[in-house]
Amino acid sequence: MSEENKITDLKQRIEKIEEGGGPKAMEKQKAMGKMTARERIEALLDPGTFHEYDMFVKHDSIDFGMQGKELPGDGVIIGTGDIGGAPVAVFAQDFTVAGGSLGFRHALKITKIMDYALNMRIPLIGINDSGGARIQEGVNALAGYGEIFFRNTLSSGVIPQISVILGPCAGGAVYSPALTDFVFVVENISKMFITGPEVIKTVLGEEISAEELGGAQVHSEITGNAHFFASSEPECFRQIRDLVSILPASNTKPAEKIAPEPPLQKYDISKIVPNDPAEPYDVRDVIRSLVDGSRFIEVMELFAANIVVGFARIHGETVGFVANQPMVLAGVLDCDSSDKAARFIRFCDSFNIPIITLEDLPGYLPGIDQEHAGVIRHGAKMLYAYSESTVPKITIIMRKAYGGGYIAMGSRHLRSDFVFSWPQAEIAVMGAEGAANIIFKKEITEAENPAEMRKLKIAEYRSKFANPYVAASKGYIDSVIEPGQTLQMIRHALKVAATKVAGRPAKKHGLPPF
Amino acid sequence: MTEEKLDIMKTALGGEYRTRLNRFYKQRRKWEPADPKVILSFMPGSVVEYRVSVGDRVRRGDVLLLFRAMKMNNVIAAPADGVIRALGAQVGANVPKNAPLIEFE
């Protein structure tokens, strides 16, 4: 073959592999409302930056009629490319090739790009669209999953890992996404479960659709397995690009600093939080009033919405927010909101992102279901996460800080570096009504007019304790500030804490109350 | 060897398995989809005020009522477009968790 012919030959080989499962299978993929694996990579990365590896890899299984069967790329595409000019590692399963099933070579391609990502300290993005293990390959397919899980675990806290669920992801396959930092799902396309509707019907006799069992809405709202919900694939890829751009590429490198921008004028912090402690508001508006361009990337928007977590920039630098949301369930802490906050705090700490806590909560959610669901161990995760984290931590007590909630929400006692309070804050061990009933029980029951006495004692307790000055007199609060001074205080605190050195006793690893 | 009377469990692998079932498994309730036509109280509390009346046509996101619980007047909004069929609670009266607050047509 002449050199020219060799190049033509190469081009033909590439063309053949890029066809994936062939035009028919591609059409079927599109008929399901799904993009093809290559279109997805194109939509995710900066145009023209994708570089593919292991294109010519072939499976070597011979059992059950697999010998000689052509599976282009073995059903997965791997490579590197850019997002906003910064390199990332990507794999995308191709459903048109043997249903994207995971065989041993397919898994080896994935683990190869995972090793690249870890060694090069760049983010990993995995696009999942697979019918599951390639059963013809037996235990080799299972070995493949295991190798992936192991690498997910090793990479955890070193590079950001993102999973995108764009099709079925069932059985063992779900555990790779579960081990990654952020899971993206798309309405009507994503399906995740350990055992599918058919098995549930066989074993338990219960009928449920795949969508109701493990669709995008379910994982975003009920299970908390997904972190970002989109109504279309293009929207999903925009979300991923926004997230990757605000995160550091690894735990050894800070996130890129961009030109600072003021918050939008329409968010006036002194007008968002109502004076009446019983009036709800959207705490995300408070966040928007503080951050560059009022742009806030919310993580797990639909799950445990009584707490808000997410990323934004202050003076061009990435910060993480943890905020009680009075608009949902009065902003209480419960099992799910504790889990959500704890995981987010640990992500920020792993990747050196300062944490800003906005506090306004009536306490923990009372209830038999909460107690039986283990609110003790779930709630403890948050205490653990705050205590363990050594990144700069700044807490603003805006309104209510009662009981265990006061301690849990980034208090001085869990080593927040700066704790500021607004003058309208109520910091106490419990609400005035409850406290007065206990402390002044005798006075109230023995009074001529118990109702009148109760009112009097509630007022007494409130004026004495429902303010920030008792906590400030002990040094638990550094400053009592006007709401309008909040951003200035945060910016100064971030500057001071930028060179923070904080240690932990040497250990193999701690034991968070998982 | 101790003899123990074991329960029978169907498994995903097909067939039946002799094993001991725990309390959670035995007390499991059959899954039922939530009724989209009813809004239930998320915890004990009281209705401060209804912002809609029977027969009103509402759009998704419209405020339906204020519900007092956890020291807060919680805003309850319409999860979808619909027509109000009934107001479930008396204003000011305490209701338990999962009490119907609004029913849609």
Side-chain angles (χ1 to χ4, degrees), chain A residues 258-402:
Chain A
I258 63 166
E261 240 182 283
L264 301 183
Q265 295 240 314
K266 68 169 174 172
Y267 298 105
D268 179 353
I269 193 164
S270 49
K271 296 203 177 106
I272 297 167
V273 181
N275 253 328
D276 178 356
E279 282 306 307
Y281 59 93
D282 189 345
V283 76
R284 292 174 298 188
D285 288 343
V286 179
I287 297 173
R288 292 183 187 112
S289 78
L290 295 169
V291 303
D292 289 15
S294 298
R295 277 188 302 274
F296 176 54
I297 299 182
E298 187 171 358
V299 178
M300 294 182 120
E301 183 182 346
L302 303 171
F303 179 73
N306 37 329
I307 205 156
V308 168
V309 301
F311 303 101
R313 282 192 162 97
I314 289 183
H315 206 59
E317 292 189 59
T318 301
V319 294
F321 276 92
V322 178
N324 305 118
Q325 175 59 292
M327 209 174 71
V328 179
L329 289 179
V332 292
L333 285 176
D334 56 7
C335 293
D336 287 345
S337 61
S338 301
D339 279 10
K340 172 175 164 181
R343 191 167 161 80
F344 180 77
I345 291 162
R346 298 194 90 204
F347 180 87
C348 290
D349 190 46
S350 296
F351 291 94
N352 310 305
I353 299 168
I355 299 161
I356 299 168
T357 304
L358 301 177
E359 179 170 1
D360 181 3
L361 83 166
Y364 282 84
L365 179 64
I368 299 161
D369 48 354
Q370 281 293 310
E371 298 296 337
H372 286 187
V375 69
I376 295 175
R377 74 188 163 87
H378 289 284
K381 294 178 198 181
M382 216 171 144
L383 304 177
Y384 193 103
Y386 267 119
S387 300
E388 172 196 47
S389 57
T390 57
V391 288
K393 291 181 277 190
I394 300 162
T395 299
I396 316 290
I397 303 175
M398 300 188 297
R399 219 169 46 171
K400 293 196 286 279
Y402 284 112

Side-chain angles (χ1 to χ4, degrees), chain A residues 39-96:
Chain A
E39 285 171 349
R40 285 166 175 170
I41 291 173
E42 204 60 37
L44 171 68
L45 301 175
D46 296 349
T49 61
F50 181 61
H51 294 73
E52 185 173 350
Y53 316 119
D54 276 3
M55 185 182 227
F56 301 110
V57 160
K58 289 183 174 179
H59 72 86
D60 41 20
S61 60
I62 49 172
D63 298 318
F64 307 108
M66 287 298 287
Q67 190 157 26
K69 206 165 182 183
E70 287 283 332
L71 300 179
D74 209 31
V76 64
I77 301 164
I78 67 166
T80 49
D82 293 356
I83 289 181
V88 297
V90 184
F91 71 82
Q93 293 180 308
D94 185 349
F95 196 77
T96 66

Side-chain angles (χ1 to χ4, degrees), chain A residues 204 206 278-280 329-330 369, chain B residues 28 31 42 68 73-74 97:
Chain A
L204 299 168
E206 292 185 41
E279 282 306 307
L329 289 179
D369 48 354
Chain B
R28 219 173 66 248
W31 176 81
F42 61 90
R68 177 93 184 178
N73 298 331
N74 301 276
K97 185 181 168 172

Side-chain angles (χ1 to χ4, degrees), chain A residues 147-177:
Chain A
E147 294 291 333
I148 293 170
F149 303 159
F150 177 75
R151 282 166 177 80
N152 283 136
T153 308
L154 285 197
S155 298
S156 177
V158 183
I159 50 169
Q161 297 183 88
I162 288 169
S163 296
V164 199
I165 315 301
L166 295 179
C169 180
V174 299
Y175 282 120
S176 173

